[in-house]
Amino acid sequence: MRIARYTTGDEPAYGLVDGEGKKIAEVTGDPLYQRIELTGTVHQVEDVRLLAPVIPRSKIIGIGRNYADHAAEMGNEVPDEPMMFLIPNTAVVGPGDPVVIPASTSEVSFEGELAVIIGRMCKDIEPEEAKKVIFGYTIANDVTARDLQRGDGQWARAKGMDTFCPLGPWIETELDPQAVDIVTTRDGEVFQDGHSSDMVHGVAALISYASKAFTLLPGDVILTGTPAGVGPVVAGQRVEIEIDAIGTLSNPFVAAER
């Protein structure tokens, strides 16, 4: 099942997206917290504005160096345990929304990733329990200011700036997270062509590990890491990330007004 969050110009609404990704059937309530029912209203996807499918009320947990090829291209070793960092929910934007490059950075990169959305509160769970707490999956662009990342020595500012975490286009609830292709293009040129089976730590292990540090709440998002091929992006360019079982997340990059 695909669940979208969208607007027709009024308040945000939720809907079920058909298999071709062309129609949205409106539902009542927030699927994360309430039982949903079809309202009978159907929209064409092209006639609505898709929004980020979830705005985490609590946190976004990023995972660094979770693909050996990406760690190698950045000159790093693969950590023995998942490397976690936090991103504020103010970094989230939706499909088609601009990613704003601030004046404080001159070296911004894209990172295409599979993202996991938590559906139930959990703490200290084991990997075999992880499937029970997953609501679904979406696509993320873990935008990073590389110069700030190097200079700060930690990643909060480099990865947490406003608009630096696009999510979308919708949530897919039925998916094998270890069996999807992740393809990222910049202005139509392929840079990343990876597969989730190459994760060092799989999704179940990541959820378990994170839950032993933080209580995970409904709507929390875990970014599962990026394969090799990350590259620079400047204002005026567009980055598209495709995960075959979900769809495509596309965002333009623009310079901040000065």
Side-chain angles (χ1 to χ4, degrees):
M1 181 169 62
R2 291 176 171 176
I3 301 172
R5 181 171 167 264
Y6 69 94
T7 181
T8 58
D10 300 316
E11 292 295 315
Y14 291 89
L16 306 182
V17 181
D18 69 356
E20 296 182 349
K22 294 182 177 180
K23 295 181 180 181
I24 296 179
E26 184 183 74
V27 298
T28 59
D30 183 336
L32 264 169
Y33 302 98
Q34 300 166 318
R35 181 183 177 87
I36 61 173
E37 295 182 2
L38 292 168
T39 67
T41 299
V42 177
H43 302 281
Q44 297 293 320
V45 170
E46 63 184 8
D47 293 334
V48 305
R49 178 189 169 201
L50 293 174
L51 305 173
V54 61
I55 302 292
R57 299 184 184 181
S58 172
K59 55 194 168 292
I60 304 159
I61 301 169
I63 304 295
R65 305 174 190 170
N66 199 31
Y67 286 77
D69 55 1
H70 171 60
E73 75 176 346
M74 302 302 290
N76 298 310
E77 298 292 329
V78 175
D80 293 333
E81 296 183 329
M83 178 182 291
M84 297 191 297
F85 56 92
L86 295 177
I87 298 173
N89 62 8
T90 47
V92 173
V93 291
D97 290 338
V99 177
V100 180
I101 300 174
S104 57
T105 178
S106 59
E107 189 182 345
V108 172
S109 291
F110 54 80
E111 294 188 5
E113 307 196 11
L114 174 68
V116 184
I117 298 157
I118 301 299
R120 293 171 51 189
M121 183 172 69
C122 62
K123 176 65 177 172
D124 292 328
I125 66 168
E126 297 304 318
E128 56 268 23
E129 302 174 278
K131 189 173 182 179
K132 298 177 183 178
V133 306
I134 296 172
F135 181 76
Y137 304 86
T138 193
I139 304 171
N141 190 345
D142 181 20
V143 180
T144 307
R146 297 290 181 206
D147 46 358
L148 303 185
Q149 186 180 32
R150 290 191 301 269
D152 289 353
Q154 47 79 28
W155 302 355
R157 185 165 65 130
K159 290 177 173 285
M161 292 189 178
D162 291 354
T163 76
F164 268 30
C165 189
L167 298 176
W170 38 64
I171 297 167
E172 173 59 67
T173 60
E174 300 295 330
L175 180 152
D176 180 351
Q178 307 307 139
V180 297
D181 295 311
I182 303 169
V183 179
T184 305
T185 63
R186 187 192 68 197
D187 289 344
E189 179 182 357
V190 175
F191 279 77
Q192 294 182 285
D193 189 355
H195 196 272
S196 61
S197 62
D198 292 328
M199 290 181 190
V200 177
H201 306 284
V203 166
L206 294 177
I207 293 172
S208 173
Y209 189 82
S211 78
K212 293 175 181 179
F214 319 108
T215 298
L216 301 180
L217 301 177
D220 281 355
V221 176
I222 299 176
L223 311 185
T224 60
T226 194
V230 300
V233 58
V234 298
Q237 295 182 316
R238 178 177 288 270
V239 174
E240 295 189 343
I241 304 161
E242 180 182 2
I243 293 181
D244 46 2
I246 302 175
T248 301
L249 172 65
S250 178
N251 296 90
F253 283 67
V254 301
E257 295 183 2
R258 307 189 184 206

